[in-house]
Amino acid sequence: MERNPSPLPDWDRLAALDDASIPLLGTALLIARDEYPELDPGLYDVLLQQHVAHLQPKIEAIALWPLKMLAINEYLFDELGYTGNHDEYYDPRNSYLNQVFERRLGIPISLALVQMEVARRLGMPLDGVSFPGHFLVRLPVDDGLLVMDPFNRGRPLDVDELRERARPHVGGNALDDQVLQQILHPASHRAILGRMLRNLHGVYAECGDWPRAVRCADRVLKLLPDDPEALRDRGLGYLQLEHRHGARRDLGRYLLLAPDAPDARTVRESLIEASGDPARLN
């Protein structure tokens, strides 16, 4: 396979970029390179382009966007075999895009990224949706939105199912049309990449792999400087690693940015632990 020398973006420059200038594929591969330092980004760019080249004649012959999307989904999920990893959902490989391409297994957000990259290269404005619970994708159509579930082979979701999926995450209340429209708003590139990193952080924190958990929180801060949750997560990870200076800095900054957060009291106790002397907090 001919390789395309596609450079990856620089972590230290991402914060200064406007959202549209952040390369979604390149930054997702940059996340993966932390775990797979020998990763060749050009290989996956070429692989994506092969998917696009295979689909292009068929897509150009179809007039309606929902039918174009159906053809894309049939190729990705039925012919190529991309699928949600229902058996090992919390395997970190599901979030590293190189592994998603190679194993054809992923979680909703990583499968959505593959689906979005293919569709966009075919001229279709497929966006991600930071839906509560599982990440979704959306395509504008003449009579509204086509919302799909990449974790389940791109299956379309109707309004009733969307409301039922969201209900447990909004206090069990029924959603009116306005709230549902807000939830279905397109996710920015920063939001997508931040969610991928937070997923990984959760996996590593759950199993006590604090060096990797801290790395993921640190990467969120490269995209979203002073993000309160990432500061808290990195600070708590630093505390686990006995890097008390870093823990004091991050947890103190978190409390300045989010003094009324539900977990402020718990974080304050961790800050006291990191300080070693409650009087130092003054």
Side-chain angles (χ1 to χ4, degrees), residues 56-131:
Q56 195 145 20
K58 185 173 186 177
I59 298 303
E60 289 176 351
I62 300 172
L64 299 176
W65 278 13
L67 296 181
K68 289 177 184 280
M69 199 66 235
L70 177 63
I72 291 171
N73 288 342
E74 285 178 345
Y75 179 62
L76 291 177
F77 299 115
D78 295 341
E79 293 186 44
L80 294 181
Y82 285 98
T83 189
N85 193 344
H86 295 264
D87 295 330
E88 296 181 299
Y89 188 89
Y90 296 104
D91 186 329
R93 292 177 295 178
N94 295 330
S95 292
Y96 291 121
L97 208 61
N98 61 322
Q99 291 293 301
V100 177
F101 282 125
E102 292 173 14
R103 300 168 71 232
R104 305 282 166 91
L105 284 172
I107 55 176
I109 196 167
S110 57
L111 293 169
L113 201 148
V114 173
Q115 196 182 16
M116 289 163 61
E117 283 291 321
V118 170
R120 288 177 174 183
R121 293 185 186 203
L122 289 164
M124 302 183 66
L126 188 66
D127 284 317
V129 176
S130 283
F131 203 79

Side-chain angles (χ1 to χ4, degrees), residues 226-237:
D226 268 351
D227 178 81
E229 290 185 6
L231 282 166
R232 177 201 62 201
D233 291 343
R234 188 174 69 177
L236 293 174

Side-chain angles (χ1 to χ4, degrees), residues 254-255 258-272 281:
Y254 172 73
L255 291 171
D260 299 320
D263 63 353
R265 180 176 179 179
T266 303
V267 172
R268 196 169 288 111
E269 291 171 354
S270 296
L271 180 55
I272 291 171
L281 292 180

